[in-house]
Amino acid sequence: MAPAAGRLPMAPNRIELKIGGMTCASCASRIEKKLNRLDGVTATVNYATEKATVTLDDDTRTTPDELIATVEKTGYTAALPPPPRRADESGGEPAGPVDELRTLRNRLLVSLVLTVPVIVLAMVPAWQFDYWQWLSLTLAAPVVAYGGLPFHRAAWINLRHGAATMDTLISLGTLAAFGWSVWALFLGTAGTPGMTHPFSLDIGPSDGAGNIYLETAAGVTLFILAGRYFEVRSKRRAGAALRALLELGANAVTVLHDGVEARIPVDRLAVGDRFVVRPGEKIATDGVVEDGSSAVDASMLTGESVPVEVGPGDQVVGATINAGGRLVVRASRIGAETQLARMATLVEQAQTGKAQVQRLADRISGVFVPIVIALAVATLGFWLGSGDGVTAAFTAAVAVLIIACPCALGLATPTALLVGTGRGAQLGILIKGPEVLESTRRVATVVLDKTGTVTTGRMTLTEIVPADGQDGDELLRLAGALENASEHPIGRAVASAAAERTGAHPEVGGFANVEGLGVTGTVDGRHVTVGRARLLTERGLDLPADLGPAVATAEAAGRTVVLAGWDGQVRGALVVADAVKPTSREAVAGLRRLGLTPILLTGDNEAVARSVAAEVGIDEVIAEVLPADKLDVVKRLQAEGRVVAMIGDGVNDAAALAQADLGLAMGTGTDVAIEAADLTLVRGDLTAAVDAIRLSRATLRVIRGNLFWAFAYNVAALPLAAVGMLNPMIAGAAMAFSSVFVVGNSLRLRRFTPYLPGRAAPADR
């Protein structure tokens, strides 16, 4: 089975840390800076996945304990993540994230119940009975203290370390509003019985006539808590594809020892063990079929909808489903070495990386909070200096603090990457890192290796040409029986076709292999010869005149012609070739729709290359290229000013894949090719290349849209807040909504649909 052939790469000197306590992009930026100051350390901290990915130089002496200590000194928690585990049989999720979500939900519900009366009383002057303000204080105090505790705690931790984050803005704004209200109630005139004040949600100039801001303190806390809750829930939905990938594997396996079957947990399986897979069961781990034949459904792992037929000698992948007969498989890889585990690791690595556009956003977030605090102080000073009163100045300053929280900025890229790479994994597309996304946008030329990429990479019978008066099925039956005893790839192609078309092979007697020319033997009492024309001529078998043109045409197209004959005459020809994959023509058409110019690159002769190119719709062909020269071809195309993508699968493609601006490796290829590429197409189908580029471009488009929204929101809202045209509670609601909007926009990638042959692909440019 094809998908098991290649192994997925694992990065050396790489450590992942689970980070706790982060509440915004500024937190991630701060931890990242601290880690990168360590000797020999290159770190990336991702707010969405709550992970730090650390790469250590070969000569560094920095240990994981030192990394954890550095993070803890910064005011956050860090730990090496435990090995990934599947959910239990009840379908439960891992405890940590669920506990976080439950805690947030509890805070949100308590805050909602207490805040609604506070806002209603403040909004409706007719309901402001005697001492209503003291009831508002009683209800608002738990909201600010309990509901806002995560923000205050984080702000205090950051203050102790001389830093400011989004939580600093939230804590300052809500505590200032609450503190002002307490002062006005106890030391001012706001506590007078019968006091009333108006409240308006309209955007417009305000003189801050209200003396208390309890509805602002409670309302902002509520809205930001709601935004944080939906953000965490959405992030969990965004990472669902990766969790589903980890949960695909089987829990138990039936091993076979000395003919006795025993059921054991899958983690006790060892390399070399033989295990049984019955119809409907999951294959426990990667292995090679030793006995039995069946169809294997790999759709959940590769996105390939059609089950693949397997038999003795074929490789199978763990977590795929046996849809047919009983199989006996010998385990070849277990645990972290399996295709499934490596896929999950590669997806996770891509999700923890950062695109170039996100690095710019992180740099802005790192300096944004101090600038906003300075702007809030300047706003307060300006309003006080203009003589508009303390309350108006206070209103504008609090609105500036709240509206500026850069949540959306920090979520713009990570959430899109989470969803995009997760959806790619479901479709059998593995994106190595976010840097790849920028490359897909610029690519204009795609170089396709022929063998194993456009074609199947194995010889296949493509045509039967019987001589006049001969039966094609009989010709194939006798030739196939004879070739069944041969190990030559051409012979295997003929034998396989015969078995599929005419049934079991008849017995062969007196088999002999004539080196480099063909085979001879007795089948059903006839002395049969199969091979090159020279061999049949030497054995006195004449070529009928009607076969000549057909043989010449096939050879001119670069195909291999095998003649078969008996009783003194050639009875027909069998045409064998490296067959084009069924979906290659549609895939090339899909690449063209994406604005790419395809080029076929091969070491085969010009005739073979032109024939394959014509069959799939490629105009430009570069043939008879030595393996070492493929790299030079890519360099030459780049020197001409082209941005080049390369799709290949072999060892000889690795250097070209690494040199190309975008390298795509077929998952059916070699380890070295997969290691050198930027994208891995697990299912080995060229249409996956179309999906890979479409999905990458769609993900980049969502990232850019998210960043535009985040930047535009802050740029437009800050001046409105500074001039007093935004009520602080509206500012809090808008800030929370911006984060939810960015996450929701990213979740649209879950609906990405694969390119189906025969249906036009969207022109994702």
Side-chain angles (χ1 to χ4, degrees), residues 398-415:
V398 170
V400 167
L401 286 174
I402 293 169
I403 198 71
C405 297
C407 291
L409 201 60
L411 290 169
T413 295
T415 52

Side-chain angles (χ1 to χ4, degrees), residues 567-637:
D567 296 339
Q569 188 174 351
V570 175
R571 305 291 174 168
L574 303 169
V575 181
V576 178
D578 180 6
V580 171
K581 292 180 179 178
T583 56
S584 289
R585 183 174 183 83
E586 286 288 349
V588 169
L591 292 171
R592 287 189 183 278
R593 291 190 189 102
L594 294 174
L596 304 177
T597 302
I599 297 175
L600 187 68
L601 178 66
T602 180
D604 274 351
N605 63 63
E606 187 82 17
V608 172
R610 290 287 175 190
S611 173
V612 171
E615 189 171 345
V616 298
I618 296 177
D619 301 324
E620 192 171 348
V621 176
I622 303 175
E624 301 179 21
V625 177
L626 295 175
D629 295 336
K630 289 187 176 182
L631 173 63
D632 295 331
V633 170
V634 173
K635 286 183 176 179
R636 175 171 59 79
L637 292 171

Side-chain angles (χ1 to χ4, degrees), residues 322-370:
N322 178 16
R326 178 180 182 272
L327 296 175
V328 177
V329 180
R330 184 175 296 278
S332 59
R333 293 197 289 267
I334 60 171
E337 293 297 313
T338 63
Q339 177 97 329
L340 175 66
R342 289 175 177 266
M343 277 182 67
T345 300
L346 199 58
V347 172
E348 210 165 9
Q349 288 173 5
Q351 292 178 347
T352 54
K354 292 186 181 179
Q356 187 175 353
V357 287
Q358 176 63 17
R359 295 189 182 279
L360 173 62
D362 285 349
R363 287 196 296 271
I364 293 172
S365 294
V367 299
F368 192 64
V369 175

Side-chain angles (χ1 to χ4, degrees), residues 50 93-110 146 150 225-238 243 743:
E50 298 178 336
E93 300 284 359
V98 170
D99 289 342
E100 178 191 2
L101 205 59
R102 185 181 299 117
T103 302
L104 270 174
R105 184 170 60 246
N106 291 340
R107 290 186 192 276
L108 177 61
L109 291 175
V110 170
Y146 171 70
L225 262 180
R228 185 69 57 84
Y229 170 75
F230 288 115
E231 174 189 313
V232 171
R233 195 176 73 166
S234 297
K235 284 195 299 184
R236 287 195 53 71
R237 288 178 62 199
R243 288 195 303 277
V743 175

Side-chain angles (χ1 to χ4, degrees), residues 361-384:
D362 285 349
R363 287 196 296 271
I364 293 172
S365 294
V367 299
F368 192 64
V369 175
I371 290 174
V372 167
I373 293 175
L375 179 60
V377 172
T379 300
L380 181 66
F382 172 79
W383 280 84
L384 289 174

Side-chain angles (χ1 to χ4, degrees), residues 30 74 152-165 168:
R30 185 161 160 252
T74 312
H152 307 319
R153 184 190 293 124
W156 172 245
I157 291 172
N158 287 310
L159 180 63
R160 286 168 50 201
H161 292 85
T165 66
T168 308

